[in-house]
Amino acid sequence: MSGSVQSNEISMVRGDSGRFTVRCAEPDGTERPFVEGDTVVFTLKRCYTGQEAVEKTLTVFTDGGEAVVNLAPGDTASLPVGTYWYDVRLKTAGGEVHTIVPKTEFQLREEIGHV
């Protein structure tokens, strides 16, 4: 992963590849793996009331029941640098909807070199 995650806040360089693992827990703190039929949606916006800048819908999970959000260089290459907001929502196989990462800051940093 190019970037860092601190208390769910993400910072990465525009146009880099990013890989973030999402886990879920029950209200009592026990781990709740994602299962077949679940849908996890990562949404990134410049203004939390505005249009999506990036949205990733995940329906395939690791053997351990984790969701992996992969950001390709093209997902952020044309976005302005600055502060964005993201959240992660779960729609369970049973139809329940839960926000598992509430609105959290995402810093998109400027690159100074090109490959």
Side-chain angles (χ1 to χ4, degrees), residues 7-8 10-11 24 28 30 36 41 46 48 54 56 58 63 65-67 74-75 78 80 111-112 114:
S7 301
N8 288 340
I10 298 174
S11 175
C24 187
D28 67 3
T30 59
E36 186 175 338
V41 179
R46 181 67 186 239
Y48 65 89
V54 176
K56 299 288 181 170
L58 308 167
D63 290 339
E66 299 169 329
D75 289 332
S78 63
E111 74 283 7
I112 60 169
H114 299 281

Side-chain angles (χ1 to χ4, degrees), residues 12 24 26 35-36 43 53 55-56 59 66-67 71-73 101 106 111 114-115:
M12 69 176 283
C24 187
E26 298 288 351
V35 297
E36 186 175 338
T43 304
E55 186 169 271
K56 299 288 181 170
T59 56
E66 299 169 329
L71 296 179
V101 178
F106 185 111
E111 74 283 7
H114 299 281
V115 280

Side-chain angles (χ1 to χ4, degrees), residues 86-100:
Y86 82 97
D87 69 6
V88 179
R89 300 189 79 200
L90 164 65
K91 181 175 182 182
T92 68
E96 295 180 3
V97 176
H98 303 279
T99 301
I100 55 176

Side-chain angles (χ1 to χ4, degrees), residues 2-114:
S2 68
S4 64
V5 179
Q6 300 278 5
S7 301
N8 288 340
E9 291 182 8
I10 298 174
S11 175
M12 69 176 283
V13 175
R14 173 178 60 187
D16 279 4
S17 299
R19 182 181 175 110
F20 310 100
T21 301
V22 179
R23 295 176 189 85
C24 187
E26 298 288 351
D28 67 3
T30 59
E31 192 168 313
R32 191 268 189 210
F34 300 115
V35 297
E36 186 175 338
D38 285 348
T39 300
V40 174
V41 179
F42 167 91
T43 304
L44 178 69
K45 296 181 176 187
R46 181 67 186 239
C47 173
Y48 65 89
T49 60
Q51 184 176 2
E52 292 83 1
V54 176
E55 186 169 271
K56 299 288 181 170
T57 300
L58 308 167
T59 56
V60 177
F61 310 106
T62 68
D63 290 339
E66 299 169 329
V68 179
V69 177
N70 286 300
L71 296 179
D75 289 332
T76 62
S78 63
L79 297 177
V81 298
T83 302
Y84 288 75
W85 302 95
Y86 82 97
D87 69 6
V88 179
R89 300 189 79 200
L90 164 65
K91 181 175 182 182
T92 68
E96 295 180 3
V97 176
H98 303 279
T99 301
I100 55 176
V101 178
K103 181 186 90 170
T104 304
E105 191 172 301
F106 185 111
Q107 286 294 323
L108 192 58
R109 308 267 181 215
E110 188 169 13
E111 74 283 7
I112 60 169
H114 299 281

